[in-house]
Amino acid sequence: MKAAHSVSDLVDAGLLTPEAGAAVADVAGRYAVALTPYLLEALEGTSPGDPLYAQYVPSAEEAYTAPEERADPIGDVARSPVKGIVHRYPDRVLLKPLHACAVYCRFCFRREMVGPGGEALSPDELDAALAYVREHPEVWEVVITGGDPLLLSPRRLTHIVQALSAIPHVGVVRLHTRIPVADPGRVTAELVEALTAPDVATWIAVHVNHADELTTQARGALAQLVEAGIPLLGQTVLLKGVNDRPEALEALFRGLVRNRIKPYYLHHPDLAAGTSHFRPTLAEGRALVKGLRGRVSGLCQPTYVLDIPGGHGKAPAAEGWVRPEGDDGSYAVEDFTGATHRYRG
């Protein structure tokens, strides 16, 4: 089975009827489409109400852009001093060596930036990005993201991780990926070996939104990483129609912990264009998270966070950080510097 990269591929796979394909043609022309053979097999016989289907198969609802939505919802561009680097917090940076993914999630906050053949750093640009890290001794942690960094070859990953390991003030390299649950066969012994180096601790944040993603194959890929000594974190987006029920979150977080993954962040969906149908209200999200207290152990409790539009970083979506403001559904959100920003989403 071949990967799907177009509406016609999804029609051929039986995931869209020809009529439904015609209805999402414009959406697929704007936002990238890709499903791995592994996911195509997993989605056989599913429909739009399925929690995996909703995450990967385009819908006509994506054609609507709400007034508050943005092309760069978390302000990456405003915080990018050098191509491939985002420096939002004093002690850590994002390093984005590529803008391609094995799959394109329909709610992605970088959906305006990523896609097939998405721009990757040239060797000179990567050198400049690494030089930026060397020249900033306050940087203790480098988060490799994109795009999905585990799409890189083991050779290229080895080069990046070893180069960061050689920088004395870098203590942690963290990689964010969807690969273990979207294309688990890509997690090989060679790839795992490429992820570690002397003098730095490698951590991996795995993006998982539903317990159904923790298949036998996915669990095997995750076990390879854990057994190589790499700690795993779970990153989840709270999505309407996918996981916005206490039972769904309970099953997911218990499943993560059972597979030695610590639930780290539960993200309120960002204000990415064409994603309003996925976004619960903050009040709904807070109620769900409150309902998890006492229902699952502390190991299963991530931090519910809101990424403040404009590049101001994450804030816990909790009292003291996020306060209702006015009668229009807006909130006052405090960032890590103490500054306050208005949020409506």
Side-chain angles (χ1 to χ4, degrees):
M1 186 180 291
K2 294 182 179 179
H5 294 286
S6 66
V7 168
S8 61
D9 289 342
L10 295 175
V11 171
D12 290 344
L15 292 175
L16 290 172
T17 65
E19 295 76 18
V24 300
D26 289 344
V27 166
R30 179 174 179 183
Y31 306 120
V33 173
L35 284 87
T36 59
Y38 165 81
L39 277 177
L40 288 173
E41 185 175 341
L43 288 172
E44 282 183 4
T46 61
S47 63
D50 181 89
L52 266 66
Y53 184 106
Q55 293 185 60
Y56 295 114
V57 180
S59 74
E61 293 170 294
E62 296 174 55
Y64 171 68
T65 299
E68 66 274 10
E69 292 178 339
R70 308 177 179 205
D72 181 19
I74 68 168
D76 278 353
V77 173
R79 305 292 179 176
S80 182
V82 173
K83 188 173 181 180
I85 292 285
V86 177
H87 198 167
R88 202 182 323 272
Y89 302 99
D91 74 332
R92 77 215 82 143
V93 298
L94 304 184
L95 172 60
K96 300 192 290 182
L98 79 169
H99 282 129
C101 297
V103 294
Y104 294 104
C105 302
R106 309 319 306 167
F107 49 86
C108 177
F109 67 95
R110 291 196 179 111
R111 64 199 324 237
E112 302 271 16
M113 306 174 189
V114 298
E119 187 176 5
L121 296 183
S122 69
D124 287 346
E125 289 165 343
L126 178 58
D127 286 346
L130 292 170
Y132 180 90
V133 178
R134 288 189 200 96
E135 292 159 7
H136 286 76
E138 71 274 22
V139 174
W140 176 76
E141 182 177 8
V142 177
V143 181
I144 307 176
T145 181
D148 196 314
L150 295 199
L151 269 189
L152 295 170
S153 69
R155 177 185 61 81
R156 292 185 68 194
L157 279 170
T158 296
H159 169 71
I160 293 171
V161 174
Q162 294 280 351
L164 292 170
S165 172
I167 301 173
H169 54 267
V170 173
V172 174
V173 173
R174 183 184 357 145
L175 299 99
H176 282 228
T177 184
R178 197 86 156 109
I179 289 291
V181 298
D183 196 9
R186 184 177 282 273
V187 180
T188 62
E190 185 182 15
L191 180 72
V192 172
E193 186 178 1
L195 299 174
T196 60
D199 303 319
V200 290
T202 297
W203 290 65
I204 290 181
V206 184
H207 184 161
V208 190
N209 295 321
H210 196 274
D212 287 355
E213 296 177 81
L214 297 172
T215 64
T216 300
Q217 298 97 313
R219 294 196 304 271
L222 295 165
Q224 286 190 67
L225 296 166
V226 172
E227 287 160 15
I230 300 173
L232 301 185
L233 302 169
Q235 179 170 286
T236 298
V237 182
L238 182 61
L239 299 167
K240 263 188 174 180
V242 174
N243 58 17
D244 61 332
R245 296 177 298 108
E247 298 83 3
L249 292 176
E250 176 184 335
L252 170 60
F253 297 145
R254 283 183 173 174
L256 291 174
V257 171
R258 185 74 179 266
N259 285 280
R260 296 172 287 182
I261 304 167
K262 173 66 181 85
Y264 176 45
Y265 280 147
L266 175 64
H267 291 265
H268 191 76
D270 296 312
L271 298 178
T275 65
S276 60
H277 56 291
F278 280 116
R279 248 186 337 270
T281 66
L282 272 170
E284 289 168 338
R286 284 171 150 182
L288 278 167
V289 170
K290 184 177 181 180
L292 289 175
R293 289 291 169 186
R295 185 177 184 125
V296 293
S297 85
L299 278 174
C300 300
Q301 304 280 350
T303 302
Y304 181 35
V305 292
L306 172 70
D307 230 314
I308 305 169
H312 303 290
K314 294 178 181 65
E319 293 181 16
W321 291 87
V322 178
R323 303 178 296 278
E325 183 179 71
D327 299 324
D328 62 352
S330 64
Y331 291 81
V333 186
E334 185 176 329
D335 69 23
F336 68 96
T337 72
T340 301
H341 309 271
R342 186 173 181 273
Y343 174 84
R344 186 180 181 190

